[in-house]
Amino acid sequence: MSTYDDLMAFQRDTSALAQVAGRLGWDQETMMPRGAADQRSDEMAAMEKVLHARRTDPKLAEWLAAIDDTALDPVGQAQMRHIRKSYDRAMKVPADLAVEIAKVTSKAQGQWAQARADEDVAAFLPVLETVVGLKRREGEALADGGDVYDAMIDDYEPEMTAVELATMFDAMRPRLVALREAVLAAEPPQAVTGHFPADKQMALAAKLATTFGYDLTHGRIDKAVHPFSSGSGHDVRITTRTSELDPFNCFYSTIHEVGHACYEQNIDDAYLLTPLGGGVSMGVHESQSRIYENQLGRSRAFTGWLYGQMTAAFGDFGINSAEDFYRTVNRVHDGYIRTEADEVQYNLHVMLRFDLERALMQGDLAVFDLEAAWNDRFAADFGYAVDKPSNGCLQDVHWSVGLFGYFPTYSLGNVYAGCLYQALQGAVPGLDEQLTAGDLSAATEWLKDNLQIHGGLFEPAEVVQRASGIVLSPEPLLTYLEGKFGAIYQL
Amino acid sequence: MSTYDDLMAFQRDTSALAQVAGRLGWDQETMMPRGAADQRSDEMAAMEKVLHARRTDPKLAEWLAAIDDTALDPVGQAQMRHIRKSYDRAMKVPADLAVEIAKVTSKAQGQWAQARADEDVAAFLPVLETVVGLKRREGEALADGGDVYDAMIDDYEPEMTAVELATMFDAMRPRLVALREAVLAAEPPQAVTGHFPADKQMALAAKLATTFGYDLTHGRIDKAVHPFSSGSGHDVRITTRTSELDPFNCFYSTIHEVGHACYEQNIDDAYLLTPLGGGVSMGVHESQSRIYENQLGRSRAFTGWLYGQMTAAFGDFGINSAEDFYRTVNRVHDGYIRTEADEVQYNLHVMLRFDLERALMQGDLAVFDLEAAWNDRFAADFGYAVDKPSNGCLQDVHWSVGLFGYFPTYSLGNVYAGCLYQALQGAVPGLDEQLTAGDLSAATEWLKDNLQIHGGLFEPAEVVQRASGIVLSPEPLLTYLEGKFGAIYQL
């Protein structure tokens, strides 16, 4: 065995253990008896210690010093890029700081949940200030003198910078605000009404999942409070949820998670349990979930098929044509909550968070001014005032658990999806006819062959550009949104 | 922190990781997508490597040398007894032998399954001979010049010896053979007939589980091919199965697994995630599952309550009185398969295996003579010939995976259960009236307070003797069986 082989055997076990830890997380949200939470917390902590010890194992330093990456093939070089980066990151953060962040964020998450329930921002801000301080220290350790917030973004979206994101977002924002205003001034489509039994929703959700290419021999669908996708390789599980008054929540959550899950399932088997064997970034991951959910799943063509499926499953539910159904599915409406936002408004929610967390990390915004800054910005972009903190700066869990630099990847994913969809339309002849017939095979195969299969082989922006042939730009997304909603709302 | 505290913190993480590995096993049998088997095998192997490394960690040797057990309280001394024993065991077996056993048994299990399906003993014996040879080497490493088979028994039943078991079993065998013959010569009770929907069986199984004290806030019930209990402490899950023609399979499998699970759930919380925090031996574990299932669950008193429950759930199912129902539940019938055997014949199946595997390990029986020896012994004890290998020496998985020394703990568990039941009858006034009313609380509380709560604090035979006040003897079990079945069959 060469040194590279030794290293990869070690990495393979680390990847396998990371999968085990991920499966525990899945179990916690789906199967775990509620009285097992305290014991599970100890089990997870023990797994994390094992993983951290492996990521900073002194053997790694020896192997990394001994391996000449240039002597490896491109796959080997990509593996080394990930391994070196992960090792450098693990070594840069002092162990006591990592432990302190884990402790404080665990406490902060509970305080956030309580503060949100109590509508009491003041009860959350002190611990948030501690979290921000610790994360800034971590960012400084990672940044090597560079931009602290850039170092945070790099955890979720390698090679991306705050300046690049800000430039892109600032170009998008006025056009999205204008589109939002025009749409909301027009005649709204009808809302969905009626009662949709949960078991029938789950049956149709399973059909949607396989229609979009989800492989149930390497996955499963369960219910959970929050929909998510979990795992890589041959065991990628998703969850969904049902509201008997709102079937779209179940169906589009399912399609969204199927997008994430198919990305993981479709990565080249040669990369199984290696650093290349997972989605390359949060942004690229989100591009897959969003193109499945929106550009494909909420298209006029596919909603025509879904209308037939829903009519067969639920009988007459008060919408009289496929055209009306399409408008209802894409209905734009006022709202405070990011996760409930439509395609037009979603990115405005994200950009607000991006600007605020960037300012927090750069010291341009004090934690105790956060609520006022949030509310001012919300009123400016959405045209009405936040009514209570749970609809405002307390709505998301992210900051309480130290996720800074994560939010922008949601919108970046939409931008990537815009580029990919433009390319997909050119690459798959007869796409609309296929979607009308509920046939996603050509579209999802194209995404698999051009993007998903590569896993971590290329950097995020690179793999999207290779697949789409488009240099990263928000223009395809904006053109798509303005075209789609302009037509629906007859602007 | 003292050295003992350091050691216990390390052990706590090891226990937590062992729980994680156990949960993976549960997942594999209940939830895992079928295409994930290969990846899961890598995940389990990675977990096993982590656990093995911890069990042989050089830090342990330093800690063990530095700690003076006599300075600890009795609980600390018991913890040290378990830790020292586990460490000694791990260090005695050469690493390459352990790896070889893992590899060969993994292959042997597949060959056994195929040979059983093909009714082809000759296809299995070569790999079994390899397994026997490797396990004998392991036994020699563990035995330090003592009896090899005793060393194997010690893995499952500390402090027990083959001589003690053989003496006990040889005393039991003629009385069980005589009871079997007398019972089968008498008029048999009616067999259960009819159709029992699976969902109604599962609903009643859940009711039975909680009736016997199973805590569903720290557990859950799922279906699996083989019923089992999995996990310790605050997360102890059971599985059961349903056959629509045989509801007793579901109900008594459930009660059996609930016995195992309650033992784990009821251990003192102070021992959570420590070496004392699990059932002390396979024999004591089996005593709990068997006393729940048989002495309590198949009693005249409790079956009276169950008859009412089944009538309410399934309507008239062709049995006209609680007395007839009791006789049907306890019906003795010819059969080849251990796991389907009744209380009268079960131990005869076990003793056959005990004598054969002991002879294999002591070199008194050649692997290639195993089938003939099995068939001769079966004919002698049961009075008729084995018709095919899947009903004979290929029926159990145990030997293929290297489980030698495990079988006798099944019968030892029944012997323990006999002692405990005799004591329980004296300790709980009005037991029959309670069971008739479906009230198991006093009986299960007595078992909890006198035995289960102690976990690994005492040695197996000691904890049973402390609880029962009876020096280990098969007499209570034999008296119970002869009395119960003598009455049912009017001998």
Side-chain angles (χ1 to χ4, degrees):
Chain A
M1 293 245 294
S2 71
T3 306
Y4 176 74
D5 293 335
D6 289 340
L7 171 62
M8 288 306 291
F10 182 84
Q11 285 296 138
R12 194 176 169 80
D13 280 349
T14 305
S15 293
L17 294 167
Q19 288 298 308
V20 172
R23 205 101 58 234
L24 275 191
W26 170 86
D27 182 88
Q28 188 162 335
E29 301 299 324
T30 54
M31 299 293 159
M32 188 183 81
R34 61 187 164 80
D38 54 346
Q39 179 172 331
R40 175 57 57 88
S41 154
D42 288 341
E43 293 168 4
M44 281 299 294
M47 286 297 294
E48 284 305 323
K49 278 188 227 177
V50 168
L51 284 165
H52 184 262
R54 295 183 72 90
R55 288 177 183 135
T56 56
D57 194 301
K59 284 199 300 287
L60 279 173
E62 290 172 33
W63 283 326
L64 293 176
I67 292 170
D68 172 14
D69 296 14
T70 61
L72 299 170
D73 67 10
V75 169
Q77 292 186 20
Q79 299 281 19
M80 292 305 298
R81 177 166 53 79
H82 284 270
I83 296 168
R84 290 186 189 281
K85 184 165 180 173
S86 161
Y87 179 73
D88 286 347
R89 192 204 183 286
M91 296 304 290
K92 275 181 187 168
V93 180
D96 58 347
L97 178 59
V99 169
E100 184 69 9
I101 288 173
K103 269 192 205 157
V104 169
T105 54
S106 166
K107 194 178 66 171
Q109 187 176 2
Q111 293 188 14
W112 162 77
Q114 191 60 50
R116 188 173 68 154
D118 297 343
E119 302 289 356
D120 184 358
V121 179
F124 174 57
L125 293 185
V127 74
L128 179 61
E129 187 162 46
T130 308
V131 172
V132 167
L134 290 168
K135 289 295 289 185
R136 196 186 285 132
R137 277 178 54 203
E138 184 190 59
E140 284 163 359
L142 293 170
D144 280 334
D147 184 84
V148 168
Y149 186 58
D150 277 354
M152 294 175 175
I153 292 172
D154 196 63
D155 270 354
Y156 311 107
E157 198 68 22
E159 307 288 301
M160 185 52 63
T161 66
V163 168
E164 191 172 353
L165 288 166
T167 305
M168 195 161 63
F169 292 169
D170 288 345
M172 294 165 70
R173 187 176 164 209
R175 282 170 68 178
L176 290 173
V177 169
L179 179 59
R180 180 193 168 279
E181 285 175 0
V183 160
L184 287 175
E187 181 73 22
Q190 70 182 111
V192 71
T193 55
H195 178 261
F196 304 85
D199 58 340
K200 288 188 180 174
Q201 288 191 41
M202 288 301 288
L204 184 46
K207 185 169 186 179
L208 284 167
T210 51
T211 296
F212 273 86
Y214 183 54
D215 174 4
L216 280 165
T217 65
H218 296 101
R220 53 179 290 134
I221 307 174
D222 295 278
K223 279 200 195 185
V225 176
H226 300 289
F228 63 89
S229 167
S230 161
S232 288
H234 294 181
D235 193 348
V236 187
R237 306 179 184 189
I238 64 169
T239 65
T240 189
R241 61 182 168 196
T242 54
S243 154
E244 297 213 336
L245 300 180
D246 178 10
F248 298 141
N249 191 314
C250 173
F251 300 149
Y252 285 100
S253 292
T254 302
I255 298 172
H256 182 97
E257 299 311 330
V258 161
H260 285 301
C262 285
Y263 185 11
E264 295 291 339
Q265 286 187 333
N266 288 336
I267 293 171
D268 195 327
D269 241 14
Y271 306 157
L272 187 69
L273 297 178
T274 75
L276 301 190
V280 72
S281 74
M282 302 312 299
V284 177
H285 241 300
E286 194 72 5
S287 77
Q288 300 307 290
S289 59
R290 297 292 277 184
I291 196 171
Y292 278 52
E293 176 190 357
N294 290 330
Q295 280 88 349
L296 298 171
R298 287 194 169 94
S299 65
R300 173 64 186 84
F302 183 74
T303 55
W305 179 82
L306 180 59
Y307 178 63
Q309 297 294 313
M310 283 188 62
T311 304
F314 303 108
D316 177 8
F317 57 100
I319 295 178
N320 296 321
S321 72
E323 186 63 30
D324 284 349
F325 181 79
Y326 170 59
R327 298 184 71 232
T328 295
V329 165
N330 288 287
R331 189 167 168 271
V332 177
H333 53 88
D334 280 346
Y336 299 103
I337 303 294
R338 174 183 59 83
T339 57
E340 298 169 2
D342 48 75
E343 285 185 86
V344 172
Q345 301 181 89
Y346 187 84
N347 295 304
L348 292 172
H349 288 277
V350 172
M351 293 170 193
L352 178 161
R353 288 153 179 77
F354 167 72
D355 285 333
L356 294 183
E357 70 176 24
R358 188 183 180 202
L360 280 175
M361 282 303 149
Q362 292 179 332
D364 297 334
L365 174 64
V367 168
F368 291 90
D369 296 329
L370 178 63
E371 184 180 23
W374 179 294
N375 292 349
D376 288 351
R377 169 68 175 266
F378 188 88
D381 282 0
F382 292 85
Y384 49 95
V386 170
D387 59 346
K388 54 186 180 183
S390 65
N391 278 338
C393 68
L394 291 186
Q395 72 181 260
D396 294 305
V397 70
H398 300 58
W399 290 337
S400 76
V401 292
L403 291 176
F404 293 88
Y406 188 113
F407 276 125
T409 67
Y410 290 125
S411 281
L412 181 60
N414 286 325
V415 169
Y416 286 151
C419 297
L420 290 166
Y421 183 57
Q422 181 175 306
L424 176 67
Q425 287 177 299
V428 177
L431 178 61
D432 269 2
E433 290 72 18
Q434 294 164 30
L435 298 184
T436 301
D439 177 6
L440 275 291
S441 57
T444 55
E445 282 295 313
W446 186 87
L447 287 165
K448 173 182 175 177
D449 295 342
N450 289 278
L451 185 139
Q452 295 172 351
I453 198 168
H454 298 306
L457 186 61
F458 306 112
E459 294 287 7
E462 183 187 357
V463 76
V464 175
Q465 187 172 332
R466 278 174 171 263
S468 67
I470 300 171
V471 178
L472 182 59
S473 157
E475 196 53 46
L477 175 68
L478 292 168
T479 304
Y480 154 78
L481 290 173
E482 288 163 349
K484 174 177 179 175
F485 289 91
I488 290 175
Y489 282 86
Q490 301 174 313
L491 303 179
Chain B
M1 291 247 295
S2 70
T3 307
Y4 176 74
D5 293 336
D6 288 340
L7 171 61
M8 289 305 292
F10 182 84
Q11 286 296 136
R12 195 176 168 80
D13 280 350
T14 305
S15 293
L17 294 167
Q19 288 298 309
V20 172
R23 205 99 59 234
L24 274 191
W26 169 85
D27 183 88
Q28 189 162 335
E29 301 300 323
T30 55
M31 300 293 160
M32 188 182 82
R34 61 186 164 81
D38 53 348
Q39 179 171 330
R40 174 58 54 89
S41 153
D42 288 342
E43 292 168 5
M44 281 299 294
M47 284 298 293
E48 283 305 321
K49 277 187 227 175
V50 169
L51 284 166
H52 183 262
R54 295 182 73 89
R55 288 177 184 136
T56 56
D57 193 301
K59 283 200 301 287
L60 279 173
E62 290 173 33
W63 283 325
L64 292 176
I67 292 171
D68 171 14
D69 297 13
T70 62
L72 299 170
D73 67 9
V75 169
Q77 292 186 18
Q79 300 280 19
M80 292 305 299
R81 179 165 53 80
H82 284 270
I83 297 167
R84 289 187 190 280
K85 184 164 181 175
S86 161
Y87 179 73
D88 287 348
R89 194 206 182 285
M91 295 306 289
K92 275 181 186 168
V93 180
D96 59 346
L97 178 59
V99 169
E100 184 70 9
I101 289 173
K103 266 193 207 160
V104 169
T105 53
S106 166
K107 194 178 65 171
Q109 186 177 1
Q111 293 188 15
W112 162 77
Q114 190 60 51
R116 188 173 69 154
D118 297 343
E119 301 290 355
D120 184 359
V121 179
F124 176 56
L125 293 185
V127 74
L128 179 61
E129 186 162 48
T130 308
V131 172
V132 168
L134 290 168
K135 288 297 288 186
R136 196 186 284 132
R137 277 178 55 203
E138 184 190 60
E140 284 161 0
L142 292 170
D144 279 333
D147 185 84
V148 168
Y149 186 57
D150 277 354
M152 294 174 177
I153 292 171
D154 196 63
D155 271 354
Y156 310 108
E157 198 68 21
E159 307 290 301
M160 185 51 63
T161 67
V163 167
E164 190 172 354
L165 288 167
T167 305
M168 194 160 65
F169 291 169
D170 288 345
M172 293 166 70
R173 188 178 164 207
R175 283 169 69 178
L176 290 173
V177 169
L179 180 61
R180 180 193 168 279
E181 284 175 0
V183 159
L184 287 176
E187 181 74 21
Q190 70 182 113
V192 71
T193 56
H195 179 260
F196 303 84
D199 57 342
K200 288 188 181 175
Q201 288 190 42
M202 288 301 287
L204 184 46
K207 186 171 186 180
L208 284 167
T210 52
T211 295
F212 273 86
Y214 183 54
D215 174 5
L216 280 164
T217 65
H218 296 102
R220 51 178 291 133
I221 307 175
D222 295 279
K223 280 201 195 184
V225 175
H226 301 288
F228 63 90
S229 167
S230 161
S232 288
H234 294 181
D235 193 348
V236 188
R237 306 178 184 189
I238 65 168
T239 65
T240 188
R241 60 183 167 195
T242 55
S243 154
E244 297 213 337
L245 299 180
D246 178 9
F248 298 140
N249 191 314
C250 173
F251 299 150
Y252 286 99
S253 293
T254 302
I255 298 172
H256 182 97
E257 300 310 331
V258 160
H260 285 302
C262 285
Y263 185 13
E264 295 290 338
Q265 286 188 333
N266 288 336
I267 293 171
D268 195 327
D269 241 13
Y271 307 156
L272 188 69
L273 298 179
T274 75
L276 300 191
V280 71
S281 74
M282 301 312 299
V284 178
H285 241 299
E286 194 72 5
S287 77
Q288 300 306 291
S289 59
R290 296 292 276 184
I291 196 170
Y292 279 52
E293 177 190 357
N294 290 331
Q295 279 88 349
L296 297 172
R298 287 193 169 95
S299 64
R300 172 66 185 85
F302 183 75
T303 55
W305 180 80
L306 181 58
Y307 179 62
Q309 296 293 313
M310 282 187 63
T311 303
F314 302 108
D316 176 9
F317 57 100
I319 295 178
N320 296 322
S321 72
E323 187 61 31
D324 285 349
F325 181 78
Y326 170 59
R327 299 183 70 230
T328 296
V329 165
N330 288 287
R331 188 167 170 272
V332 177
H333 54 89
D334 282 345
Y336 299 103
I337 303 294
R338 174 183 59 83
T339 57
E340 298 169 1
D342 48 75
E343 283 185 86
V344 172
Q345 301 183 87
Y346 187 83
N347 296 304
L348 293 172
H349 287 277
V350 171
M351 292 170 192
L352 179 160
R353 288 153 181 76
F354 167 71
D355 285 334
L356 294 182
E357 71 177 22
R358 187 182 180 204
L360 280 175
M361 281 304 148
Q362 292 178 332
D364 297 334
L365 175 65
V367 168
F368 291 90
D369 296 328
L370 177 65
E371 185 180 22
W374 179 295
N375 291 350
D376 288 350
R377 169 68 176 264
F378 188 87
D381 282 358
F382 292 85
Y384 49 95
V386 171
D387 61 345
K388 54 187 178 182
S390 64
N391 278 338
C393 67
L394 290 185
Q395 72 180 263
D396 295 304
V397 69
H398 300 58
W399 291 336
S400 75
V401 292
L403 291 177
F404 292 89
Y406 188 112
F407 276 125
T409 68
Y410 290 126
S411 281
L412 181 60
N414 285 326
V415 170
Y416 287 151
C419 298
L420 291 167
Y421 184 57
Q422 182 174 303
L424 177 66
Q425 286 176 301
V428 177
L431 178 61
D432 270 2
E433 289 72 17
Q434 294 164 29
L435 298 184
T436 302
D439 177 5
L440 275 291
S441 57
T444 54
E445 282 295 314
W446 186 87
L447 287 165
K448 174 183 175 179
D449 294 341
N450 288 278
L451 186 139
Q452 295 172 352
I453 197 167
H454 298 306
L457 185 61
F458 305 112
E459 294 288 6
E462 183 186 358
V463 77
V464 176
Q465 188 173 330
R466 278 174 170 263
S468 67
I470 300 170
V471 177
L472 183 60
S473 157
E475 195 52 48
L477 175 68
L478 292 168
T479 304
Y480 155 77
L481 290 174
E482 288 163 350
K484 174 176 179 175
F485 289 91
I488 291 175
Y489 282 86
Q490 301 172 314
L491 303 180

